[in-house]
Amino acid sequence: MDREKITLTGSPETMLATLYARAVDSRAKRPILNDQEAARAVERIDYDFRWTGINAMTAAVVALRARQLDNWTKEFLGAHPDATVLHLACGLDTRVQRLDRSSTIRWIDVDYPEVLELRDRLLLRPSGDYRMIATSVTDEEWLTEVPADRPTAVVFEGLSMYLRNDQGKSLIQRLTARFPSGELLFDSYGSMGIRLQR
């Protein structure tokens, strides 16, 4: 099996720590998320994951956060079976593979072009109405590519800490102006939490 050499740097590189944490959780005696797709992806990557500092405890925290966002997304899709899911800064997250979604759900993953290229090489492409938009979420033009004809769940995990206040505010204003109904599902960190994460 060919292994993928990673050349990402900066914030896109941090998605590897999250992926690795979910893989570590999948090997636990009682996994929280049991993300086998993440475990398979880690096996295919030529990368020194020791730099991440991920251990069983931090892997559990990452898995709990992912499970909560999965649950919120499932609740939204249960109430809106013809919804759009807009997954911002998706990285190598396998939420679209983890969730049992109907064929009527439109799913759109958004991230940098180099991230989506890696995603395409490492993860199985989901069936159904699935597409990707290759861009930075802070760019303003990409949102016009997303139809605004359905209730929309906008999911962003591990993104808010990388946005300046003005970027976060602008993004949320654009999203809420674009879609007539939906939910924003995300995690956030205060300045202390960001410092503790180094």
Side-chain angles (χ1 to χ4, degrees), residues 46-122:
D46 181 10
Y47 187 78
D48 183 1
F49 285 98
R50 289 177 297 183
W51 80 267
T52 65
I54 297 293
N55 57 35
M57 180 62 76
T58 53
V61 170
V62 169
L64 283 167
R65 176 181 75 177
R67 186 174 72 181
Q68 182 60 61
L69 285 162
D70 282 1
N71 288 341
W72 286 337
T73 306
K74 281 191 272 191
E75 287 173 14
F76 184 85
L77 296 182
H80 307 282
D82 61 344
T84 295
V85 175
L86 184 57
H87 191 181
L88 305 185
C90 62
L92 295 173
D93 190 279
T94 59
R95 182 163 289 113
V96 66
Q97 288 91 352
R98 287 194 308 267
L99 296 185
D100 183 22
R101 59 192 175 87
S102 73
S103 60
T104 58
I105 300 297
R106 175 192 297 138
W107 193 289
I108 303 171
D109 280 337
V110 182
D111 214 320
Y112 293 112
E114 62 272 23
V115 170
L116 294 184
E117 288 169 14
L118 180 62
R119 182 181 180 85
D120 244 355
R121 294 193 303 270
L122 288 174

Side-chain angles (χ1 to χ4, degrees), residues 1-6 15-16 18-20 22-24 26-27 35-47 49 91-94 97 118-124:
M1 168 176 54
D2 290 337
R3 299 182 76 208
E4 289 287 337
K5 185 77 175 162
I6 301 297
M15 71 179 175
L16 297 172
T18 307
L19 176 74
Y20 184 61
R22 292 195 320 270
V24 169
S26 74
R27 295 190 296 263
D35 191 341
Q36 295 300 315
E37 187 69 17
R40 282 188 287 275
V42 163
E43 289 174 7
R44 296 194 51 220
I45 295 173
D46 181 10
Y47 187 78
F49 285 98
L92 295 173
D93 190 279
T94 59
Q97 288 91 352
L118 180 62
R119 182 181 180 85
D120 244 355
R121 294 193 303 270
L122 288 174
L123 302 175
L124 294 173

